[in-house]
């Protein structure tokens, strides 16, 4: 499914692209041909960023659900996306940063601080089996950080406002190869850490005390997991903007395919999230042609009912 989605991403757009032109552009690039330029400067980088963002958010969502033992945990719902977004906006608007290699550090720091704040406010270390308090803490933090982000956008200069407006909706439009390269580096490091932690996460799924009895260093596991989540979520948000629900949906779909083993859940979550984001991006380009709807909006429209279904299935009680 990933390969068809990637191919569809190269073909979809406001300008029709014959299959022969796409194949020729990939195999025999000619910088004098405008169709080749569209493929290499716009659609190929956009496809790469969509795939990498999905891999990062899907892996981060699975890692957060394993760490908190909370089926509703994901970067968007717990305010981590909002923290990274606010930090990126601050770096761009106040310090004039223009390269992702500069403002990605703000995204990482914002994700880390927001994650720490929501875990403290929600007391996740004590209520991992009760999702409500953690989600409420994340929702409250998201509202606060979102309001601060809106304040920055409103007061931004017109040229910065245009770029913020597209980015804040979770759009891959205009993302270049430099964005893909920075995101690839952070996603690779984060996914590598997450995969190395998979055996410990399997033990933690039996309970924190049981995991410790099996020899898992829970403090080290939590610390390294937080580093991985910060890398994955911060870089993804810096590259594509705050995209919600992908990190929630993908791990649940991965468990239905891969079972309870996190050695398989983590990569499957990333792969499924990448496919979902590609589908959302292509759908947004096709249904509003020649304009487009941001992939983040499509993902939220599709993920909202999924979130409601999970809540109803779990029969959560208010506190």
């Amino acid at each position: 499914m990933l390969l068809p989605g990637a191919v569809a991403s190269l073909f979809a757009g406001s300008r029709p692209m014959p299959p022969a032109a796409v194949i020729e552009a990939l195999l025999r690039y000619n910088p004098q041909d405008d169709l080749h330029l569209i493929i290499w400067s716009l659609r190929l980088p956009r496809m790469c960023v969509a795939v990498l963002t999905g891999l990062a958010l899907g892996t981060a969502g699975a890692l957060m659900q394993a760490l908190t033992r909370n089926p509703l945990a994901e970067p968007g719902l717990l305010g981590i996306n909002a923290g990274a977004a606010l930090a990126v906006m601050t770096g761009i608007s106040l310090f004039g940063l223009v390269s992702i290699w500069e403002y990605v550090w703000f995204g990482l720091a914002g994700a880390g601080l927001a994650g720490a704040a929501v875990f403290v406010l929600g007391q996740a270390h004590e209520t991992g089996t009760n999702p409500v308090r953690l989600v409420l803490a994340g929702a409250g933090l998201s509202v606060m950080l979102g309001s601060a982000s809106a304040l920055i956008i409103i007061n931004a200069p017109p040229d910065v406002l245009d770029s913020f407006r597209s980015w804040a909706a979770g759009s891959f439009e205009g993302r270049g190869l430099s964005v893909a390269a920075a995101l690839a580096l952070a996603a690779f490091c984060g996914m590598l850490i997450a995969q190395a932690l998979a055996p410990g996460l399997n033990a933690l799924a039996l309970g924190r005390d049981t995991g410790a009895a099996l020899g898992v260093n829970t403090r080290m596991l939590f610390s390294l997991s937080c580093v991985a989540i910060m890398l994955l979520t911060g870089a993804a948000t810096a590259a594509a903007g705050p995209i919600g629900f992908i990190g929630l949906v993908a791990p649940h779909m991965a468990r239905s395919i891969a079972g309870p083993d996190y050695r398989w859940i983590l990569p499957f979550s990333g792969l499924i999230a990448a496919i979902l984001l590609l589908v959302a991006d292509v759908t947004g380009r096709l249904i509003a042609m020649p304009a487009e709807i941001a992939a983040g909006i499509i993902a939220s429209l599709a993920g909202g009912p999924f979130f409601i279904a999970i809540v109803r299935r779990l029969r959560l009680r208010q506190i």
Side-chain angles (χ1 to χ4, degrees):
M1 289 296 292
L2 182 62
L3 183 59
V7 173
S9 181
L10 295 178
F11 284 99
S14 58
R15 181 168 181 176
M17 192 71 66
V22 174
I23 296 174
E24 184 180 2
L26 294 175
L27 298 179
R28 294 186 297 273
Y29 173 60
N30 179 9
Q32 304 301 321
D33 190 323
D34 58 343
L35 293 180
H36 292 198
L37 286 174
I38 290 175
I39 292 295
W40 280 95
S41 62
L42 296 177
R43 296 190 182 177
L44 187 60
R46 179 174 187 155
M47 181 267 290
C48 291
V49 172
V51 170
L52 291 168
T53 301
L55 288 172
L57 293 179
T59 305
L63 194 56
M64 292 177 67
Q65 291 178 15
L67 196 65
T68 63
R69 301 179 67 195
N70 182 344
L72 299 179
E74 71 103 17
L77 288 175
L78 298 192
I80 298 179
N81 279 351
L86 176 59
V88 169
M89 289 182 181
T90 301
I92 293 175
S93 60
L94 295 185
F95 300 101
L97 305 181
V98 294
S99 170
I100 188 172
W101 295 100
E102 297 173 334
Y103 59 73
V104 69
W105 302 106
F106 282 79
L108 299 180
L113 292 174
V118 76
F119 278 110
V120 170
L121 293 173
Q123 297 181 347
H125 59 287
E126 297 175 359
T127 60
T129 58
N130 183 355
V132 178
R133 186 177 300 174
L134 191 62
V135 172
L136 290 177
L141 187 65
S142 294
V143 171
M144 293 174 58
L145 297 177
S147 300
S149 298
L151 187 63
I152 293 177
I153 292 177
I154 292 174
N155 291 278
D159 55 336
V160 177
L161 175 61
D162 289 338
S163 60
F164 273 163
R165 184 171 52 187
S166 173
W167 175 85
S171 173
F172 303 116
E173 182 182 7
R175 304 295 180 261
L177 287 177
S178 62
V179 174
L183 178 55
L185 178 60
F188 174 78
C189 294
M191 293 172 66
L192 194 64
I193 296 172
Q195 200 63 37
L197 298 175
L201 296 175
N202 286 333
L204 187 67
L206 301 174
R208 190 165 183 174
D209 294 337
T210 303
L214 292 174
V216 176
N217 187 335
T218 55
R219 184 180 296 274
M220 181 66 69
L221 180 66
F222 272 71
S223 299
L224 291 177
S225 296
C226 290
V227 171
I229 293 169
M230 181 181 68
L231 285 170
L232 294 167
T233 306
T237 303
I243 298 177
F245 292 110
I246 289 294
L248 171 69
V249 175
H252 287 275
M253 297 178 67
R255 287 189 193 91
S256 66
I257 298 172
D261 192 343
Y262 276 95
R263 291 175 298 178
W264 293 103
I265 291 176
L266 290 169
F268 269 95
S269 295
L271 182 62
I272 292 171
I275 294 172
L276 293 176
L277 268 187
L278 278 175
V279 172
D281 187 38
V282 172
T283 301
R285 281 187 268 174
L286 292 179
I287 63 177
M289 193 180 297
E292 67 177 68
I293 300 174
I297 296 176
I298 300 294
S300 296
L301 291 174
F306 189 90
F307 171 73
I308 295 173
I310 294 176
V311 173
R312 289 179 60 85
R313 188 183 68 186
L314 293 175
R315 298 177 181 177
L316 299 177
R317 292 181 299 177
Q318 292 182 341
I319 58 172

